Amino acid sequence: MKLLMCLTFVGMIASLYAAFIYAPTEAVMGPIQRIFYFHMGTVWVATLAFIIVFISSIQYLRKESRFWDILALSSAEVGVLFITLTIITGSIWAKPVWGTWWTWDPQLTTTFILWILYIVYLILRSSAGSDTKKARYAAVFGIIAFLDLPLVYASARLMRGISPVVFGDRGGGIAPEMMVALLVTLVAFTFLFFLILRERIDIENMKDEIAKLKIEEAL
Amino acid sequence: MNYLFWAHVIFWAALFIYVYNLTRKNENLRREIDALKSSLSNTKEEKIIWQKQEIK
């Protein structure tokens, strides 16, 4: 845990340095483009989180183990935080570049739907409590909600929109220094994600322990 | 530049608030577990004393 904390701290400092000092200023957009690195970091964490929710939900339905249930719930919460930050930082970037805070571009629309779906998942899962039947419904919803994630990525590539494509045949084209800064940010955000996820999982485990101790005390 | 500043303010503030809440919850739960464990061990000791007294 301490190693992960150190890696996250060093990684975040390195990503700030890479985004603000190392990466060159983009010719057309100017300094505002530097939002891109942290924006992509939040996109990456949200993607990772929702993939974990998907896998954990399948595993929970298969094995009915509390471990997978906790992992899915914790990961979804972190994912919602980061997808919210994706939408906010994306909006702030869009205003000076596109001249609007929000537009119903295919990628933005599918991202908005993804955000709503996982908020609904969290509401469903929180209302389930220790009811395993409701937890199973939430897991099914977690699997269905994930279907929107490939759409978010595909929409920028297959449909006509104004969202830029960073990776892929149509996109990229960013300076090598910018790519290095982006990769440093993605690595730092991965450490940050696992650190927060670990802390969130601990909370659920402790809640379970308290419930057990209370039963023991009542007996 | 203003937009860049506010994007980072919002990002770091949200992250700080979330992590702070997690840490606080974590500490409160840990304290509750300790309290429950000590209360349980006290109850067990009391039960042993009662059982000994009943035997006598």
Side-chain angles (χ1 to χ4, degrees):
Chain A
M1 187 73 171
K2 275 185 182 169
L3 177 71
L4 190 57
M5 277 173 85
C6 288
L7 286 172
T8 308
F9 182 74
V10 173
M12 291 310 280
I13 298 285
S15 67
L16 279 170
Y17 173 80
F20 283 98
I21 299 165
Y22 178 74
T25 305
E26 212 264 345
V28 182
M29 286 183 266
I32 190 68
Q33 185 269 347
R34 291 182 196 275
I35 291 179
F36 162 78
Y37 305 103
F38 273 53
H39 175 70
M40 285 302 286
T42 60
V43 171
W44 166 243
V45 169
T47 306
L48 203 59
F50 296 146
I51 289 172
I52 291 177
V53 176
F54 176 67
I55 295 169
S56 307
S57 298
I58 292 174
Q59 288 296 90
Y60 179 66
L61 290 178
R62 281 181 60 206
K63 298 182 177 173
E64 286 210 2
S65 149
R66 178 81 177 122
F67 167 78
W68 294 110
D69 186 32
I70 288 176
L71 186 59
L73 169 66
S74 306
S75 193
E77 195 181 288
V78 181
V80 166
L81 169 75
F82 278 86
I83 197 86
T84 308
L85 288 170
T86 300
I87 291 171
I88 293 171
T89 53
S91 268
I92 295 174
W93 187 12
K95 179 64 182 161
V97 176
W98 296 340
T100 178
W101 295 104
W102 185 265
T103 173
W104 294 102
D105 163 84
Q107 193 172 37
L108 268 63
T109 308
T110 46
T111 306
F112 181 74
I113 293 168
L114 191 73
W115 182 61
I116 298 288
L117 284 171
Y118 280 96
I119 288 175
V120 172
Y121 169 84
L122 281 183
I123 294 168
L124 263 178
R125 186 58 199 84
S126 310
S127 67
S130 56
D131 186 340
T132 50
K133 198 178 169 188
K134 282 183 183 172
R136 285 174 67 87
Y137 288 142
V140 172
F141 191 84
I143 295 166
I144 295 168
F146 179 77
L147 298 178
D148 187 47
L149 190 68
L151 282 180
V152 175
Y153 285 90
S155 61
R157 287 161 177 83
L158 303 176
M159 296 178 209
R160 282 183 176 212
I162 48 175
S163 291
V165 178
V166 182
F167 301 103
D169 4 308
R170 213 185 87 195
I174 61 171
E177 292 93 343
M178 286 180 179
M179 188 54 91
V180 170
L182 176 62
L183 292 176
V184 168
T185 310
L186 295 186
V187 170
F189 272 66
T190 308
F191 290 139
L192 177 70
F193 168 65
F194 283 111
L195 185 70
I196 297 176
L197 184 65
R198 176 74 197 270
E199 194 80 1
R200 185 64 188 81
I201 288 171
D202 277 353
I203 287 177
E204 287 303 313
N205 283 334
M206 280 194 278
K207 278 182 187 170
D208 283 0
E209 198 179 343
I210 287 172
K212 270 183 203 166
L213 287 170
K214 279 185 177 168
I215 291 170
E216 218 174 296
E217 197 182 32
L219 294 173
Chain B
M1 202 65 178
N2 213 8
Y3 289 104
L4 181 64
F5 171 77
W6 283 111
H8 273 271
V9 166
I10 292 170
F11 172 81
W12 288 105
L15 194 65
F16 176 79
I17 292 167
Y18 183 71
V19 171
Y20 176 76
N21 274 328
L22 277 189
T23 317
R24 219 186 52 184
K25 259 188 207 170
N26 217 317
E27 278 172 13
N28 287 345
L29 288 171
R30 210 167 291 248
R31 237 175 274 144
E32 200 176 336
I33 287 173
D34 289 342
L36 275 168
K37 276 182 179 169
S38 76
S39 137
L40 262 173
S41 70
N42 286 344
T43 318
K44 274 179 188 168
E45 277 173 18
E46 279 170 12
K47 271 184 186 172
I48 291 167
I49 293 167
W50 287 340
Q51 280 170 348
K52 279 180 182 173
Q53 281 174 346
E54 274 177 15
I55 290 166
K56 280 178 186 176

